Amino acid sequence: MQQLTNKRILLGITGGIAAYKSAELVRHLKKAGADVRVVMTKGAMEFITPLTLQALSGNPVHHALLDPEAEAGMGHIELAKWADLLLVAPASANFLARLSQGLGDDLLTTICLATEAPLAIAPAMNQAMWKDGTTQQNLQRLIDIKGKNFHVFGPDAGEQACGDVGPGRMLDPEVIAASCADLFETGLLAGINLVVTAGPTREAIDPVRYISNHSSGKMGYAIAEAARDAGARVTLISGPVNLPAPERITLKQINSARDMLDEALAQMGECQVFIAAAAVADYRPLTVANQKIKKSGDQIDITMIKNPDVVATVAHHEQRPFTVGFAAETQAVEDYARGKLTNKNLDMIVANDVSREDIGFNSDNNAATAIWQEGQQSFDSMSKHTMARQLIELIAMRYQESQQHPAG
Ligand code: PMT
């Protein structure tokens, strides 16, 4: 069910005894990596409490259409736009009737009308209600109107809560979760834990001054987003930048190279792919003054000492992930990059020329050459977002290959 990693599933619950199974459904969807929000009808709340679903989903539960407070948080239109999939489980006969008539008389039906996401339903009702001609007509009407964007999971047949036997039981939550997964394509990095470093580090001189560089974080953030869109669970270790926190990515904000190393090492064992796009300071001031250094003579000297090398430490770790570095060079770009590939024990290095103003530091564009021991691939000037997607494709391919042929 790796297809569900990072997917946003809006689960609608309608009134029926099968509503108690929705709690388990939330658990399965979450376990598969989905972000789950729940919308309940009034009837559903007679069978299971919003608190249970809030605790399991980790998100507030929505139920009122005309609730100014809830609308101020995440309104019905935002919920409709948020979802990658709207799943209604259980879907009662009454809900199917209202949906097939295009009613928007509560929060759930309104979201069903407003969303462009695929809609899947898992019907659950008494066998006679399921077989009833009106229910079947309502269902057929929905299939005809909604076409490919509409999916029906089940129902199952068997003994029902009321004692009847026949079709109408809601499918097992695990089967519903697997059916949801089948609606999505498997991403290139589905289910992979991937860490990206981005931005500059700041090395303190005194409480108000630091040494840093021109990295904006744009390249690293674009890579983190491309990896997320390829299905990876992404942790982004970022120096101070002026970029918004990307959605569905775990963001760890750091200042210095040593902070970055601590965060990187905390990921070892879990992380399968590590991509170092950060511009980490090679040196830091030997001492950090406790108070602001006062202006005095014409010259001051700051003694610098070497920082730990984050990416090299990761690449030499006993639980080393597939490790990709970047090389920021101003001359002999490929030669220096090859040296770093070997010295830092990397699986791949992406060399970019930071002497050019149209690419590299702070620009929206970049041009680079990805180099590994047996080959290389060049990327002409393009937006950092486009390059990030192409790099992620290449990294995913090389990573999969490394898993098939591990180095002896
Ligand atoms: O942030 P942007 O404005 O979008 O700019 C993008 C970029 C130019 C910063 C990016 O594309 C890039 O080249 N990043 C690497 C910058 C760098 O520090 O290069 P380097 O050649 O000095 O280091 C080589 C590799 O070692 C890098 O992966 C770096 O993250 C890593 N390193 C370096 C020093 C150190 N102490 N620890 C490290 O992990």
Side-chain angles (χ1 to χ4, degrees):
M1 282 200 278
Q2 289 175 335
Q3 302 95 308
L4 289 181
T5 309
N6 297 332
K7 292 292 178 295
R8 293 160 158 178
I9 300 193
L10 189 57
L11 173 64
I13 306 178
T14 70
I17 184 64
Y20 80 91
K21 291 190 195 170
S22 305
E24 208 188 327
L25 177 55
V26 172
R27 233 175 32 80
H28 283 295
L29 294 170
K30 292 276 294 177
K31 199 169 154 207
D35 188 1
V36 182
R37 284 182 177 267
V38 177
V39 175
M40 300 177 78
T41 65
K42 221 169 152 199
M45 291 190 290
E46 302 288 338
F47 291 92
I48 183 165
T49 68
L51 196 60
T52 304
L53 293 152
Q54 180 172 317
L56 289 171
S57 68
N59 282 315
V61 169
H62 308 261
H63 43 81
L65 177 57
L66 300 172
D67 177 351
E69 207 174 294
E71 288 284 301
M74 199 180 213
H76 63 283
I77 298 294
E78 275 165 296
L79 281 169
K81 285 188 180 152
W82 175 87
D84 293 321
L85 171 69
L86 175 51
L87 166 68
V88 183
S92 67
N94 180 48
F95 169 75
L96 288 186
R98 289 189 296 130
L99 193 65
S100 71
Q101 296 309 309
L103 294 185
D105 55 357
D106 66 4
L107 181 61
L108 183 56
T109 47
T110 309
I111 291 172
C112 288
L113 290 176
T115 193
E116 286 176 11
L119 169 62
I121 60 162
M125 62 196 77
N126 166 270
Q127 54 84 27
M129 290 169 78
W130 173 251
K131 286 182 198 154
D132 180 80
T134 334
T135 301
Q136 289 303 316
Q137 244 180 27
N138 290 335
L139 187 66
Q140 193 54 52
R141 189 174 151 80
L142 284 165
I143 292 168
D144 292 343
I145 293 171
K146 296 195 178 282
K148 280 189 187 156
N149 231 14
F150 185 62
H151 308 272
V152 185
F153 301 155
D156 214 349
E159 195 171 329
Q160 301 201 295
C162 57
D164 280 7
V165 177
R169 280 162 49 118
M170 187 167 94
L171 284 178
D172 275 350
E174 199 170 357
V175 176
I176 296 176
S179 305
C180 290
D182 287 343
L183 299 179
F184 296 100
E185 282 179 21
T186 312
L188 283 171
L189 289 171
I192 297 288
N193 293 320
L194 184 145
V195 175
V196 181
T197 68
T201 60
R202 284 181 182 172
E203 309 300 329
I205 298 171
D206 68 14
V208 298
R209 303 184 182 91
Y210 54 80
I211 292 173
S212 190
N213 59 64
H214 295 295
S215 170
S216 62
K218 288 177 188 171
M219 191 69 245
Y221 276 54
I223 288 174
E225 287 168 357
R228 171 202 63 199
D229 294 344
R233 280 185 285 271
V234 180
T235 300
L236 175 60
I237 306 175
S238 174
V241 295
N242 268 326
L243 298 172
E247 292 185 358
R248 287 175 282 161
I249 285 176
T250 306
L251 179 63
K252 308 273 184 191
Q253 289 173 311
I254 53 89
N255 272 310
S256 69
R258 286 178 297 169
D259 296 343
M260 184 172 275
L261 180 65
D262 289 345
E263 285 295 351
L265 290 178
Q267 306 296 325
M268 291 305 101
E270 296 290 318
C271 162
Q272 288 136 303
V273 178
F274 188 93
I275 306 175
V280 187
D282 286 323
Y283 294 90
R284 67 176 185 277
L286 174 63
T287 52
V288 180
N290 286 333
Q291 303 297 332
K292 184 181 169 192
I293 298 170
K294 303 308 285 179
K295 185 158 69 176
S296 52
D298 289 341
Q299 180 182 323
I300 63 165
D301 295 321
I302 298 174
T303 304
M304 307 280 281
I305 56 161
K306 215 171 198 178
N307 260 332
D309 192 307
V310 180
V311 77
T313 310
V314 165
H316 285 97
H317 196 273
E318 56 177 0
Q319 292 170 302
R320 85 185 285 284
F322 184 89
T323 311
V324 179
F326 269 70
E329 306 294 349
T330 54
Q331 55 173 328
V333 177
E334 284 191 27
D335 287 348
Y336 281 130
R338 279 184 195 283
K340 287 176 183 174
L341 176 71
T342 305
N343 296 340
K344 295 187 190 231
N345 195 32
L346 306 178
D347 295 288
M348 184 191 286
I349 193 151
V350 182
N352 45 196
D353 184 345
V354 288
S355 69
R356 285 171 55 180
E357 280 194 4
D358 58 326
I359 59 166
F361 279 128
N362 210 0
S363 162
D364 287 335
N365 299 319
N366 208 0
T369 304
I371 302 169
W372 58 100
Q373 291 299 355
E374 309 82 28
Q376 64 179 65
Q377 183 175 324
S378 291
F379 299 85
D380 291 338
S381 187
M382 60 182 83
S383 81
K384 284 181 176 169
H385 284 284
T386 306
M387 180 181 286
R389 280 196 294 276
Q390 297 187 9
L391 272 174
I392 283 297
E393 271 179 37
L394 177 64
I395 291 168
M397 209 169 72
R398 304 273 337 140
Y399 166 67
Q400 303 298 354
E401 210 161 291
S402 74
Q403 297 305 290
Q404 281 152 19
H405 308 286

